[in-house]
Amino acid sequence: MILQPRRTKYKKLHKGRNRGFSNDSKVVFGEFGLKAITRGSISSRQIESARKVITRFVKNNGKM
């Protein structure tokens, strides 16, 4: 569940720009993580679907 404000002053938000790349590549929680190859934004649905795929893959002991 993503935390979002119940009410905002303006409906449309400024998207901003994703400039440069992150130098910090530590996994803070757990053992596995997603790594972005290009810059951009990821929706919560994309993150959730990737999480489901990773858990399904790990449950099969990582066999392909």
Short mmCIF file of all heavy atoms in Angstrom, two decimals:
data_model
loop_
_atom_site.label_atom_id
_atom_site.label_comp_id
_atom_site.label_asym_id
_atom_site.label_seq_id
_atom_site.Cartn_x
_atom_site.Cartn_y
_atom_site.Cartn_z
N MET A 1 0.84 -1.17 0.00
CA MET A 1 0.00 0.00 0.00
C MET A 1 0.89 1.24 0.00
O MET A 1 1.82 1.35 0.78
CB MET A 1 -0.90 -0.02 1.23
CG MET A 1 -1.80 1.17 1.30
SD MET A 1 -3.08 1.03 2.54
CE MET A 1 -2.15 1.17 4.02
N ILE A 2 0.60 2.16 -0.89
CA ILE A 2 1.39 3.38 -1.02
C ILE A 2 0.73 4.48 -0.20
O ILE A 2 -0.48 4.66 -0.26
CB ILE A 2 1.51 3.78 -2.49
CG1 ILE A 2 2.26 2.71 -3.26
CG2 ILE A 2 2.22 5.11 -2.62
CD1 ILE A 2 2.32 2.98 -4.72
N LEU A 3 1.53 5.23 0.54
CA LEU A 3 1.00 6.32 1.33
C LEU A 3 0.81 7.55 0.45
O LEU A 3 1.76 7.99 -0.20
CB LEU A 3 1.94 6.64 2.48
CG LEU A 3 2.18 5.51 3.47
CD1 LEU A 3 3.22 5.93 4.49
CD2 LEU A 3 0.89 5.15 4.17
N GLN A 4 -0.40 8.04 0.40
CA GLN A 4 -0.71 9.23 -0.39
C GLN A 4 -1.60 10.14 0.44
O GLN A 4 -2.39 9.67 1.27
CB GLN A 4 -1.44 8.85 -1.68
CG GLN A 4 -0.58 8.12 -2.66
CD GLN A 4 -1.33 7.79 -3.94
OE1 GLN A 4 -2.54 7.75 -3.95
NE2 GLN A 4 -0.60 7.57 -5.00
N PRO A 5 -1.50 11.45 0.24
CA PRO A 5 -2.37 12.36 0.99
C PRO A 5 -3.83 12.21 0.55
O PRO A 5 -4.11 11.91 -0.61
CB PRO A 5 -1.83 13.74 0.64
CG PRO A 5 -1.08 13.57 -0.62
CD PRO A 5 -0.56 12.16 -0.60
N ARG A 6 -4.74 12.40 1.49
CA ARG A 6 -6.16 12.28 1.16
C ARG A 6 -6.64 13.42 0.29
O ARG A 6 -7.47 13.26 -0.60
CB ARG A 6 -6.99 12.26 2.44
CG ARG A 6 -6.76 11.03 3.26
CD ARG A 6 -7.66 11.01 4.45
NE ARG A 6 -7.34 9.85 5.28
CZ ARG A 6 -8.04 9.49 6.31
NH1 ARG A 6 -9.08 10.18 6.68
NH2 ARG A 6 -7.70 8.43 6.99
N ARG A 7 -6.11 14.62 0.55
CA ARG A 7 -6.57 15.80 -0.17
C ARG A 7 -5.36 16.64 -0.55
O ARG A 7 -4.44 16.78 0.26
CB ARG A 7 -7.49 16.60 0.74
CG ARG A 7 -8.46 17.51 0.07
CD ARG A 7 -9.47 18.02 1.08
NE ARG A 7 -8.87 18.87 2.09
CZ ARG A 7 -8.67 20.18 1.93
NH1 ARG A 7 -9.01 20.78 0.82
NH2 ARG A 7 -8.12 20.87 2.89
N THR A 8 -5.34 17.15 -1.77
CA THR A 8 -4.25 18.01 -2.21
C THR A 8 -4.83 19.32 -2.73
O THR A 8 -5.99 19.39 -3.12
CB THR A 8 -3.42 17.35 -3.32
OG1 THR A 8 -4.29 17.01 -4.41
CG2 THR A 8 -2.72 16.10 -2.81
N LYS A 9 -4.00 20.35 -2.73
CA LYS A 9 -4.45 21.67 -3.17
C LYS A 9 -4.67 21.68 -4.68
O LYS A 9 -5.65 22.24 -5.16
CB LYS A 9 -3.42 22.70 -2.76
CG LYS A 9 -3.89 24.13 -2.97
CD LYS A 9 -2.90 25.12 -2.36
CE LYS A 9 -3.42 26.52 -2.49
NZ LYS A 9 -2.48 27.51 -1.93
N TYR A 10 -3.76 21.05 -5.42
CA TYR A 10 -3.87 21.00 -6.87
C TYR A 10 -3.96 19.54 -7.31
O TYR A 10 -3.28 18.69 -6.76
CB TYR A 10 -2.66 21.67 -7.53
CG TYR A 10 -2.53 23.12 -7.13
CD1 TYR A 10 -1.55 23.52 -6.24
CD2 TYR A 10 -3.39 24.08 -7.64
CE1 TYR A 10 -1.43 24.84 -5.86
CE2 TYR A 10 -3.28 25.41 -7.27
CZ TYR A 10 -2.30 25.78 -6.38
OH TYR A 10 -2.20 27.08 -6.01
N LYS A 11 -4.77 19.28 -8.33
CA LYS A 11 -4.96 17.90 -8.79
C LYS A 11 -3.74 17.37 -9.53
O LYS A 11 -3.27 16.28 -9.27
CB LYS A 11 -6.18 17.81 -9.72
CG LYS A 11 -7.49 17.91 -8.99
CD LYS A 11 -8.63 17.71 -9.95
CE LYS A 11 -9.97 17.77 -9.24
NZ LYS A 11 -11.08 17.56 -10.15
N LYS A 12 -3.24 18.14 -10.47
CA LYS A 12 -2.12 17.67 -11.29
C LYS A 12 -0.80 18.03 -10.62
O LYS A 12 -0.56 19.16 -10.25
CB LYS A 12 -2.19 18.29 -12.68
CG LYS A 12 -3.37 17.81 -13.49
CD LYS A 12 -3.27 18.27 -14.92
CE LYS A 12 -4.42 17.71 -15.72
NZ LYS A 12 -4.34 18.11 -17.12
N LEU A 13 0.05 17.04 -10.49
CA LEU A 13 1.35 17.25 -9.87
C LEU A 13 2.42 17.41 -10.94
O LEU A 13 2.32 16.85 -12.02
CB LEU A 13 1.71 16.07 -8.97
CG LEU A 13 0.75 15.79 -7.81
CD1 LEU A 13 1.15 14.50 -7.12
CD2 LEU A 13 0.75 16.93 -6.84
N HIS A 14 3.46 18.14 -10.60
CA HIS A 14 4.60 18.24 -11.50
C HIS A 14 5.38 16.93 -11.43
O HIS A 14 5.70 16.44 -10.35
CB HIS A 14 5.50 19.41 -11.12
CG HIS A 14 4.85 20.74 -11.32
ND1 HIS A 14 4.63 21.27 -12.56
CD2 HIS A 14 4.35 21.62 -10.44
CE1 HIS A 14 4.04 22.44 -12.45
NE2 HIS A 14 3.85 22.68 -11.14
N LYS A 15 5.69 16.36 -12.56
CA LYS A 15 6.36 15.07 -12.59
C LYS A 15 7.84 15.17 -12.22
O LYS A 15 8.41 14.25 -11.69
CB LYS A 15 6.24 14.43 -13.98
CG LYS A 15 4.84 13.98 -14.29
CD LYS A 15 4.78 13.27 -15.62
CE LYS A 15 3.38 12.81 -15.93
NZ LYS A 15 3.30 12.16 -17.21
N GLY A 16 8.47 16.27 -12.54
CA GLY A 16 9.89 16.41 -12.25
C GLY A 16 10.73 15.70 -13.29
O GLY A 16 10.23 15.15 -14.26
N ARG A 17 12.03 15.71 -13.07
CA ARG A 17 12.94 15.09 -14.01
C ARG A 17 13.85 14.13 -13.27
O ARG A 17 14.29 14.41 -12.16
CB ARG A 17 13.80 16.14 -14.71
CG ARG A 17 13.00 17.15 -15.51
CD ARG A 17 12.48 16.52 -16.79
NE ARG A 17 11.63 17.43 -17.53
CZ ARG A 17 10.31 17.42 -17.51
NH1 ARG A 17 9.67 16.56 -16.77
NH2 ARG A 17 9.61 18.26 -18.23
N ASN A 18 14.14 13.02 -13.90
CA ASN A 18 15.10 12.06 -13.35
C ASN A 18 16.44 12.29 -14.04
O ASN A 18 16.67 11.82 -15.13
CB ASN A 18 14.64 10.62 -13.58
CG ASN A 18 13.41 10.29 -12.78
OD1 ASN A 18 13.28 10.74 -11.67
ND2 ASN A 18 12.52 9.52 -13.35
N ARG A 19 17.31 13.00 -13.36
CA ARG A 19 18.59 13.33 -13.95
C ARG A 19 19.69 12.52 -13.30
O ARG A 19 19.72 12.38 -12.08
CB ARG A 19 18.89 14.82 -13.77
CG ARG A 19 17.89 15.70 -14.47
CD ARG A 19 18.24 17.14 -14.30
NE ARG A 19 17.17 17.97 -14.88
CZ ARG A 19 17.18 19.27 -14.88
NH1 ARG A 19 18.17 19.93 -14.33
NH2 ARG A 19 16.20 19.94 -15.41
N GLY A 20 20.58 12.00 -14.12
CA GLY A 20 21.72 11.27 -13.60
C GLY A 20 21.36 9.90 -13.07
O GLY A 20 20.22 9.46 -13.12
N PHE A 21 22.36 9.22 -12.56
CA PHE A 21 22.18 7.88 -12.05
C PHE A 21 22.56 7.85 -10.57
O PHE A 21 23.38 8.63 -10.10
CB PHE A 21 23.06 6.89 -12.82
CG PHE A 21 22.65 6.72 -14.25
CD1 PHE A 21 23.32 7.38 -15.26
CD2 PHE A 21 21.58 5.92 -14.59
CE1 PHE A 21 22.94 7.23 -16.58
CE2 PHE A 21 21.19 5.77 -15.89
CZ PHE A 21 21.87 6.43 -16.90
N SER A 22 21.99 6.92 -9.86
CA SER A 22 22.29 6.76 -8.44
C SER A 22 23.58 5.98 -8.27
O SER A 22 23.82 4.98 -8.94
CB SER A 22 21.13 6.04 -7.76
OG SER A 22 21.47 5.75 -6.43
N ASN A 23 24.40 6.42 -7.34
CA ASN A 23 25.64 5.71 -7.03
C ASN A 23 25.44 4.71 -5.90
O ASN A 23 26.26 3.84 -5.69
CB ASN A 23 26.74 6.70 -6.64
CG ASN A 23 27.13 7.57 -7.82
OD1 ASN A 23 27.06 7.13 -8.96
ND2 ASN A 23 27.51 8.80 -7.55
N ASP A 24 24.35 4.85 -5.17
CA ASP A 24 24.07 3.99 -4.02
C ASP A 24 23.34 2.75 -4.51
O ASP A 24 22.24 2.84 -5.03
CB ASP A 24 23.23 4.75 -3.01
CG ASP A 24 23.05 3.96 -1.73
OD1 ASP A 24 23.87 3.06 -1.49
OD2 ASP A 24 22.10 4.25 -0.99
N SER A 25 23.93 1.59 -4.35
CA SER A 25 23.30 0.35 -4.83
C SER A 25 23.27 -0.71 -3.73
O SER A 25 23.57 -1.86 -3.96
CB SER A 25 24.03 -0.18 -6.05
OG SER A 25 25.37 -0.45 -5.71
N LYS A 26 22.92 -0.29 -2.51
CA LYS A 26 22.87 -1.22 -1.39
C LYS A 26 21.46 -1.78 -1.26
O LYS A 26 20.48 -1.07 -1.49
CB LYS A 26 23.25 -0.51 -0.09
CG LYS A 26 24.65 0.05 -0.07
CD LYS A 26 24.89 0.81 1.20
CE LYS A 26 26.25 1.48 1.15
NZ LYS A 26 26.43 2.37 2.31
N VAL A 27 21.36 -3.03 -0.89
CA VAL A 27 20.07 -3.64 -0.57
C VAL A 27 19.85 -3.46 0.91
O VAL A 27 20.59 -3.99 1.73
CB VAL A 27 20.05 -5.14 -0.96
CG1 VAL A 27 18.73 -5.76 -0.56
CG2 VAL A 27 20.29 -5.29 -2.44
N VAL A 28 18.85 -2.65 1.26
CA VAL A 28 18.64 -2.29 2.66
C VAL A 28 17.86 -3.38 3.38
O VAL A 28 18.16 -3.73 4.51
CB VAL A 28 17.89 -0.94 2.76
CG1 VAL A 28 17.62 -0.58 4.20
CG2 VAL A 28 18.69 0.15 2.10
N PHE A 29 16.85 -3.95 2.72
CA PHE A 29 16.00 -4.94 3.38
C PHE A 29 15.94 -6.19 2.52
O PHE A 29 15.62 -6.12 1.34
CB PHE A 29 14.59 -4.37 3.58
CG PHE A 29 13.64 -5.32 4.24
CD1 PHE A 29 13.73 -5.57 5.60
CD2 PHE A 29 12.69 -5.98 3.51
CE1 PHE A 29 12.86 -6.44 6.22
CE2 PHE A 29 11.82 -6.86 4.10
CZ PHE A 29 11.91 -7.09 5.46
N GLY A 30 16.25 -7.33 3.07
CA GLY A 30 16.19 -8.58 2.34
C GLY A 30 17.48 -8.91 1.62
O GLY A 30 18.52 -8.31 1.86
N GLU A 31 17.36 -9.87 0.70
CA GLU A 31 18.54 -10.34 -0.02
C GLU A 31 18.51 -9.99 -1.49
O GLU A 31 19.54 -9.96 -2.14
CB GLU A 31 18.63 -11.87 0.11
CG GLU A 31 18.77 -12.36 1.54
CD GLU A 31 18.77 -13.87 1.63
OE1 GLU A 31 18.81 -14.51 0.58
OE2 GLU A 31 18.72 -14.38 2.75
N PHE A 32 17.33 -9.74 -2.04
CA PHE A 32 17.19 -9.49 -3.47
C PHE A 32 16.66 -8.08 -3.70
O PHE A 32 15.99 -7.51 -2.84
CB PHE A 32 16.22 -10.50 -4.11
CG PHE A 32 16.64 -11.92 -3.91
CD1 PHE A 32 16.08 -12.69 -2.91
CD2 PHE A 32 17.61 -12.48 -4.71
CE1 PHE A 32 16.46 -13.99 -2.71
CE2 PHE A 32 18.01 -13.79 -4.52
CZ PHE A 32 17.44 -14.55 -3.52
N GLY A 33 16.95 -7.54 -4.88
CA GLY A 33 16.47 -6.21 -5.21
C GLY A 33 16.38 -6.01 -6.70
O GLY A 33 16.93 -6.79 -7.49
N LEU A 34 15.68 -4.96 -7.12
CA LEU A 34 15.58 -4.59 -8.52
C LEU A 34 16.63 -3.54 -8.83
O LEU A 34 16.89 -2.65 -8.01
CB LEU A 34 14.19 -4.01 -8.82
CG LEU A 34 13.01 -4.94 -8.65
CD1 LEU A 34 11.73 -4.16 -8.88
CD2 LEU A 34 13.10 -6.08 -9.63
N LYS A 35 17.22 -3.64 -10.00
CA LYS A 35 18.20 -2.65 -10.41
C LYS A 35 17.76 -2.05 -11.74
O LYS A 35 17.47 -2.77 -12.69
CB LYS A 35 19.58 -3.30 -10.57
CG LYS A 35 20.66 -2.30 -10.91
CD LYS A 35 22.02 -2.95 -10.94
CE LYS A 35 23.09 -1.93 -11.26
NZ LYS A 35 24.41 -2.53 -11.31
N ALA A 36 17.70 -0.74 -11.79
CA ALA A 36 17.29 -0.04 -13.00
C ALA A 36 18.48 0.11 -13.94
O ALA A 36 19.58 0.46 -13.52
CB ALA A 36 16.72 1.32 -12.66
N ILE A 37 18.25 -0.18 -15.22
CA ILE A 37 19.30 -0.03 -16.22
C ILE A 37 19.29 1.38 -16.80
O ILE A 37 20.31 1.98 -17.05
CB ILE A 37 19.13 -1.08 -17.33
CG1 ILE A 37 19.27 -2.48 -16.73
CG2 ILE A 37 20.16 -0.89 -18.43
CD1 ILE A 37 18.93 -3.58 -17.70
N THR A 38 18.08 1.92 -16.99
CA THR A 38 17.94 3.29 -17.49
C THR A 38 17.17 4.11 -16.48
O THR A 38 16.49 3.57 -15.61
CB THR A 38 17.20 3.31 -18.84
OG1 THR A 38 15.89 2.75 -18.65
CG2 THR A 38 17.93 2.52 -19.89
N ARG A 39 17.24 5.42 -16.62
CA ARG A 39 16.50 6.27 -15.70
C ARG A 39 15.05 6.38 -16.13
O ARG A 39 14.73 6.25 -17.30
CB ARG A 39 17.16 7.63 -15.58
CG ARG A 39 17.30 8.36 -16.88
CD ARG A 39 18.15 9.58 -16.69
NE ARG A 39 19.24 9.50 -17.64
CZ ARG A 39 20.20 10.39 -17.73
NH1 ARG A 39 20.22 11.42 -16.96
NH2 ARG A 39 21.16 10.26 -18.61
N GLY A 40 14.19 6.60 -15.19
CA GLY A 40 12.77 6.71 -15.45
C GLY A 40 11.99 6.42 -14.19
O GLY A 40 12.58 6.17 -13.14
N SER A 41 10.69 6.45 -14.29
CA SER A 41 9.87 6.18 -13.12
C SER A 41 9.17 4.84 -13.29
O SER A 41 8.88 4.41 -14.40
CB SER A 41 8.84 7.29 -12.93
OG SER A 41 8.03 7.40 -14.08
N ILE A 42 8.90 4.20 -12.17
CA ILE A 42 8.25 2.89 -12.16
C ILE A 42 6.95 3.04 -11.36
O ILE A 42 6.96 3.61 -10.27
CB ILE A 42 9.14 1.82 -11.49
CG1 ILE A 42 10.46 1.71 -12.25
CG2 ILE A 42 8.45 0.49 -11.45
CD1 ILE A 42 11.45 0.80 -11.58
N SER A 43 5.87 2.53 -11.92
CA SER A 43 4.60 2.62 -11.22
C SER A 43 4.52 1.56 -10.13
O SER A 43 5.29 0.59 -10.11
CB SER A 43 3.43 2.45 -12.20
OG SER A 43 3.41 1.13 -12.70
N SER A 44 3.59 1.73 -9.22
CA SER A 44 3.44 0.77 -8.13
C SER A 44 2.98 -0.58 -8.64
O SER A 44 3.33 -1.62 -8.08
CB SER A 44 2.45 1.31 -7.10
OG SER A 44 1.18 1.50 -7.69
N ARG A 45 2.22 -0.61 -9.72
CA ARG A 45 1.79 -1.89 -10.31
C ARG A 45 2.98 -2.66 -10.86
O ARG A 45 3.04 -3.88 -10.75
CB ARG A 45 0.78 -1.65 -11.42
CG ARG A 45 -0.56 -1.24 -10.93
CD ARG A 45 -1.54 -1.15 -12.07
NE ARG A 45 -2.87 -0.86 -11.58
CZ ARG A 45 -3.96 -1.11 -12.24
NH1 ARG A 45 -3.90 -1.65 -13.44
NH2 ARG A 45 -5.14 -0.82 -11.73
N GLN A 46 3.93 -1.95 -11.47
CA GLN A 46 5.11 -2.61 -12.00
C GLN A 46 5.97 -3.18 -10.88
O GLN A 46 6.49 -4.30 -10.99
CB GLN A 46 5.94 -1.62 -12.83
CG GLN A 46 5.29 -1.22 -14.13
CD GLN A 46 6.05 -0.12 -14.83
OE1 GLN A 46 6.58 0.78 -14.20
NE2 GLN A 46 6.08 -0.19 -16.15
N ILE A 47 6.10 -2.45 -9.79
CA ILE A 47 6.87 -2.94 -8.65
C ILE A 47 6.21 -4.17 -8.05
O ILE A 47 6.87 -5.16 -7.72
CB ILE A 47 7.03 -1.83 -7.60
CG1 ILE A 47 7.88 -0.69 -8.16
CG2 ILE A 47 7.66 -2.37 -6.32
CD1 ILE A 47 7.94 0.52 -7.28
N GLU A 48 4.88 -4.13 -7.90
CA GLU A 48 4.16 -5.25 -7.31
C GLU A 48 4.25 -6.48 -8.19
O GLU A 48 4.44 -7.60 -7.70
CB GLU A 48 2.70 -4.86 -7.09
CG GLU A 48 1.87 -5.94 -6.44
CD GLU A 48 2.34 -6.30 -5.05
OE1 GLU A 48 3.04 -5.49 -4.41
OE2 GLU A 48 2.02 -7.43 -4.60
N SER A 49 4.13 -6.32 -9.52
CA SER A 49 4.23 -7.48 -10.41
C SER A 49 5.64 -8.06 -10.40
O SER A 49 5.81 -9.29 -10.43
CB SER A 49 3.81 -7.11 -11.83
OG SER A 49 4.71 -6.17 -12.38
N ALA A 50 6.65 -7.22 -10.32
CA ALA A 50 8.03 -7.71 -10.23
C ALA A 50 8.24 -8.47 -8.94
O ALA A 50 8.91 -9.51 -8.91
CB ALA A 50 9.01 -6.55 -10.34
N ARG A 51 7.66 -7.98 -7.83
CA ARG A 51 7.78 -8.67 -6.56
C ARG A 51 7.14 -10.06 -6.61
O ARG A 51 7.71 -11.03 -6.12
CB ARG A 51 7.11 -7.84 -5.46
CG ARG A 51 7.31 -8.40 -4.07
CD ARG A 51 6.41 -7.71 -3.07
NE ARG A 51 5.00 -7.98 -3.33
CZ ARG A 51 4.37 -9.11 -2.99
NH1 ARG A 51 5.03 -10.08 -2.39
NH2 ARG A 51 3.09 -9.28 -3.25
N LYS A 52 5.99 -10.16 -7.27
CA LYS A 52 5.32 -11.46 -7.40
C LYS A 52 6.15 -12.44 -8.21
O LYS A 52 6.26 -13.62 -7.88
CB LYS A 52 3.95 -11.29 -8.05
CG LYS A 52 2.93 -10.64 -7.14
CD LYS A 52 1.61 -10.50 -7.85
CE LYS A 52 0.58 -9.83 -6.98
NZ LYS A 52 -0.70 -9.65 -7.68
N VAL A 53 6.75 -11.96 -9.30
CA VAL A 53 7.58 -12.81 -10.15
C VAL A 53 8.80 -13.30 -9.39
O VAL A 53 9.18 -14.47 -9.48
CB VAL A 53 7.99 -12.06 -11.43
CG1 VAL A 53 9.05 -12.80 -12.19
CG2 VAL A 53 6.78 -11.83 -12.31
N ILE A 54 9.43 -12.40 -8.62
CA ILE A 54 10.62 -12.78 -7.87
C ILE A 54 10.28 -13.83 -6.82
O ILE A 54 11.01 -14.82 -6.65
CB ILE A 54 11.26 -11.53 -7.22
CG1 ILE A 54 11.89 -10.65 -8.31
CG2 ILE A 54 12.31 -11.92 -6.20
CD1 ILE A 54 12.36 -9.31 -7.82
N THR A 55 9.17 -13.64 -6.09
CA THR A 55 8.80 -14.62 -5.07
C THR A 55 8.46 -15.97 -5.69
O THR A 55 8.80 -17.01 -5.14
CB THR A 55 7.62 -14.13 -4.22
OG1 THR A 55 6.53 -13.80 -5.08
CG2 THR A 55 7.99 -12.94 -3.39
N ARG A 56 7.80 -15.96 -6.85
CA ARG A 56 7.48 -17.22 -7.53
C ARG A 56 8.76 -17.92 -7.97
O ARG A 56 8.89 -19.14 -7.87
CB ARG A 56 6.58 -16.93 -8.74
CG ARG A 56 5.90 -18.16 -9.29
CD ARG A 56 5.05 -17.85 -10.50
NE ARG A 56 4.21 -16.69 -10.31
CZ ARG A 56 4.11 -15.68 -11.19
NH1 ARG A 56 4.78 -15.72 -12.32
NH2 ARG A 56 3.33 -14.66 -10.95
N PHE A 57 9.73 -17.15 -8.46
CA PHE A 57 11.00 -17.72 -8.92
C PHE A 57 11.78 -18.31 -7.75
O PHE A 57 12.37 -19.39 -7.85
CB PHE A 57 11.81 -16.63 -9.61
CG PHE A 57 13.12 -17.11 -10.18
CD1 PHE A 57 13.17 -17.82 -11.36
CD2 PHE A 57 14.30 -16.84 -9.53
CE1 PHE A 57 14.36 -18.27 -11.88
CE2 PHE A 57 15.51 -17.27 -10.04
CZ PHE A 57 15.53 -17.99 -11.21
N VAL A 58 11.78 -17.63 -6.62
CA VAL A 58 12.54 -18.09 -5.45
C VAL A 58 11.88 -19.33 -4.85
O VAL A 58 12.56 -20.23 -4.35
CB VAL A 58 12.67 -16.96 -4.41
CG1 VAL A 58 13.26 -17.47 -3.12
CG2 VAL A 58 13.53 -15.85 -4.97
N LYS A 59 10.55 -19.42 -4.90
CA LYS A 59 9.87 -20.59 -4.36
C LYS A 59 10.22 -21.85 -5.15
O LYS A 59 10.21 -22.95 -4.62
CB LYS A 59 8.34 -20.39 -4.40
CG LYS A 59 7.86 -19.52 -3.28
CD LYS A 59 6.36 -19.40 -3.33
CE LYS A 59 5.85 -18.50 -2.23
NZ LYS A 59 4.39 -18.33 -2.28
N ASN A 60 10.55 -21.71 -6.42
CA ASN A 60 10.95 -22.84 -7.26
C ASN A 60 12.45 -23.11 -7.13
O ASN A 60 13.04 -23.74 -8.00
CB ASN A 60 10.60 -22.58 -8.72
CG ASN A 60 9.10 -22.56 -8.96
OD1 ASN A 60 8.35 -23.17 -8.22
ND2 ASN A 60 8.69 -21.85 -9.98
N ASN A 61 13.07 -22.62 -6.08
CA ASN A 61 14.50 -22.81 -5.81
C ASN A 61 15.40 -22.24 -6.91
O ASN A 61 16.52 -22.70 -7.11
CB ASN A 61 14.83 -24.29 -5.60
CG ASN A 61 14.12 -24.84 -4.40
OD1 ASN A 61 13.93 -24.15 -3.43
ND2 ASN A 61 13.69 -26.09 -4.51
N GLY A 62 14.91 -21.26 -7.66
CA GLY A 62 15.72 -20.61 -8.66
C GLY A 62 16.00 -21.43 -9.90
O GLY A 62 16.91 -21.15 -10.65
N LYS A 63 15.23 -22.49 -10.15
CA LYS A 63 15.45 -23.31 -11.34
C LYS A 63 14.74 -22.70 -12.54
O LYS A 63 13.64 -22.21 -12.43
CB LYS A 63 14.91 -24.72 -11.12
CG LYS A 63 15.61 -25.47 -10.00
CD LYS A 63 14.98 -26.81 -9.78
CE LYS A 63 15.60 -27.50 -8.59
NZ LYS A 63 14.90 -28.75 -8.29
N MET A 64 15.42 -22.72 -13.68
CA MET A 64 14.81 -22.17 -14.88
C MET A 64 14.44 -23.26 -15.82
O MET A 64 14.99 -24.25 -15.98
CB MET A 64 15.73 -21.18 -15.57
CG MET A 64 15.84 -19.91 -14.81
SD MET A 64 16.46 -18.58 -15.83
CE MET A 64 14.96 -17.79 -16.31
#
